[in-house]
């Protein structure tokens, strides 16, 4: 054992002497440097393919340290994205000219402030290395596939009997997260935007005709009871319309086209959104027409909405486009969600429809 200790001591001295010799050749003063030096050696099994580096911003680092997960999503034909609970990030490989080393037990300068004052050599083993790392860039979630999946099994009301239930593709929230390149929070927000609802554990999108039918029941009840559009009681709606449609669908319709609030007495009320109701009626009129004479459309549109509501052309932003250059002036359906997600493809699609755009016209489609 004394002989082994003597050999170790000789190796340490030799190592320190080599450090001092290197400092002298480099014309560096020992007192200008931190007193701890790392002597690096490669582990025999060290390889570049064993490890991958991911660059994270402070917020994502904090989430990882808190035990939360980051998930890489994408089918085989899609460019992978990384998702937290709230955001979606594009994943790109960034090459570096510097070799990045993975070292165990290596200490950074801020960890050496209370270290030894005399020269010390630390043996550090390199477990792996890399010439590149994954770089994250915040991007919009890729949600176009969501509506396509949900339209495989649109909901048109409860089946009349069990024999009418046709096996169809239905998706739970986890199924959608596995297929859609989006964070959970962004996915849930878009499901709300497209008026999807959860039925028996699966997310479904309502057939538009059925959605209009539900809305018609609500607006007719408001008219017959002489309620204010800003004071529609949930309980009365469910009691009156329950025999006609499932109460869950009536409440879903109110959530889609109104704002829920509670009175001082604790009663749940809804304030119907005039713009949302008018947009739904406009979509009903425009969905089967290539182009509509603008003046005729405005007249029919106003007649289609409940009494007391007023239609305005600004309610069509992102839904339809008015052509002022044609004679007579026309309006046609152009939904923002039907345009490509890619920026260049979207601009190409827009300028293939029209050579010149005003800012007011194009803004809803690029904002």
């Amino acid at each position: 054992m004394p002989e082994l200790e003597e050999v170790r001591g000789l190796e340490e001295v030799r190592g320190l002497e080599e450090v001092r010799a290197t400092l002298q050749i480099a014309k560096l003063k020992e007192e200008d440097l931190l007193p701890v030096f790392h002597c690096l050696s490669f582990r025999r099994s060290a390889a570049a393919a064993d490890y991958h580096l991911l660059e994270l911003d402070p917020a994502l680092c904090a989430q990882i340290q808190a035990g939360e997960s980051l998930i890489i999503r994408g089918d085989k034909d899609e460019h992978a994205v990384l998702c937290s609970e709230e955001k979606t990030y594009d994943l790109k490989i960034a090459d570096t000219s510097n070799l990045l080393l993975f070292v165990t037990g290596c200490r950074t300068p801020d960890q050496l402030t209370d270290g030894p004052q005399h020269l010390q050599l630390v043996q550090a083993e390199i477990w792996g290395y890399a010439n590149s790392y994954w770089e994250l860039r915040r991007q919009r979630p890729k949600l176009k596939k969501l509506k396509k999946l949900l339209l495989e099994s649109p909901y048109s009301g409860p089946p009349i009997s069990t024999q009418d239930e046709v096996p169809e593709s239905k998706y739970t929230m986890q199924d959608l997260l596995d297929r859609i390149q989006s964070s959970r929070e962004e996915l849930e927000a878009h499901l709300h935007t497209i008026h999807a609802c959860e039925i028996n554990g699966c997310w479904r999108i309502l057939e538009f005709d059925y959605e209009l039918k539900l809305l018609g029941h609500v607006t007719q009840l408001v008219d017959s009871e002489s309620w204010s559009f800003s004071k529609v009681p949930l309980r009365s709606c469910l009691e009156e319309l329950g025999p006609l449609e499932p109460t869950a669908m009536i409440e879903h319709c109110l959530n889609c086209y109104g704002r829920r609030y509670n009175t001082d007495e604790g009663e749940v009320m809804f304030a119907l959104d005039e713009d949302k109701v008018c947009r739904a009626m406009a979509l009903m009129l425009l969905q089967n027409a290539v182009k509509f004479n603008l003046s005729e459309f405005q007249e029919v549109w106003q007649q289609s909405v409940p009494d007391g509501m007023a239609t305005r052309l600004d309610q069509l932003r992102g839904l339809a486009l008015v052509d002022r250059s044609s004679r007579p002036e026309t309006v046609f359906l152009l939904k923002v969600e039907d345009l490509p997600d890619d920026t260049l493809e979207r601009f190409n699609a827009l300028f293939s429809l029209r050579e010149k755009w005003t800012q007011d016209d194009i803004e809803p489609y690029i904002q």
Side-chain angles (χ1 to χ4, degrees), residues 341-349:
D341 286 332
D342 180 77
T343 303
L344 182 59
E345 291 179 8
R346 177 167 296 198
F347 273 107
N348 287 338

Side-chain angles (χ1 to χ4, degrees), residues 66-277:
E68 298 180 22
S69 298
L70 300 178
I71 303 172
I72 295 176
R73 293 193 170 111
D75 287 337
K76 292 181 179 180
D77 59 340
E78 295 173 325
H79 184 80
V81 300
L82 183 135
C83 299
S84 66
E85 279 292 308
E86 305 88 16
K87 298 177 181 178
T88 303
Y89 299 85
D90 187 29
L91 271 174
K92 287 188 177 179
I93 293 180
D95 294 320
T96 174
S97 58
N98 297 321
L99 190 65
L100 304 171
L101 304 177
F102 310 145
V103 182
T104 58
C106 186
R107 290 182 290 169
T108 56
D110 60 303
Q111 296 171 319
L112 298 173
T113 53
D114 298 328
Q117 299 303 313
H118 62 281
L119 192 62
Q120 180 181 352
L121 191 63
V122 177
Q123 301 291 335
E125 192 173 40
I126 298 172
W127 284 63
Y129 56 91
N131 293 308
S132 62
Y133 60 93
W134 288 101
E135 188 178 54
L136 300 183
R137 190 171 300 171
R138 182 83 169 88
Q139 73 161 34
R140 295 186 304 273
K142 300 180 180 180
L143 297 164
K144 190 168 288 293
K145 189 164 66 174
L146 174 60
K147 195 167 185 179
K148 181 180 178 182
L149 291 176
L150 295 182
L151 284 175
E152 294 175 2
S153 176
Y155 183 78
S156 57
I160 298 174
S161 63
T162 54
Q163 287 76 18
D164 295 334
E165 191 78 67
V166 180
E168 296 172 303
S169 300
K170 298 175 185 176
Y171 300 94
T172 64
M173 174 58 75
Q174 189 56 52
D175 293 334
L176 293 175
L177 287 170
D178 291 340
R179 300 288 300 274
I180 305 299
Q181 292 183 292
S182 168
S183 68
R184 175 183 284 271
E185 188 174 293
E186 291 167 322
L187 181 61
E188 289 175 346
H190 195 65
L191 285 168
H192 176 73
T193 299
I194 62 176
H195 295 177
C197 62
E198 192 173 14
I199 301 173
N200 298 327
C202 294
W203 282 89
R204 311 281 297 276
I205 194 169
L206 273 58
E207 279 191 356
F208 186 60
D209 289 345
Y210 181 64
E211 188 173 317
L212 286 180
K213 180 182 176 183
L214 294 172
L215 181 59
H217 286 321
V218 171
T219 55
Q220 287 169 17
L221 180 62
V222 170
D223 181 62
S224 65
E225 297 291 336
S226 299
W227 291 333
S228 166
F229 289 126
S230 61
K231 297 179 180 178
V232 180
L234 173 62
R235 180 184 296 177
S236 298
C237 284
L238 299 184
E239 289 174 354
E240 294 294 329
L241 301 177
L244 302 176
E245 298 292 344
T247 55
M249 291 298 100
I250 299 298
E251 187 169 356
H252 174 69
C253 179
L254 288 167
N255 281 315
C256 291
Y257 291 96
R259 177 182 58 85
R260 177 192 292 257
Y261 67 95
N262 291 335
T263 65
D264 294 337
E265 294 76 25
E267 185 179 5
V268 179
M269 305 287 282
F270 280 88
L272 290 184
D273 189 311
E274 181 178 85
D275 289 348
K276 290 181 178 180
V277 174

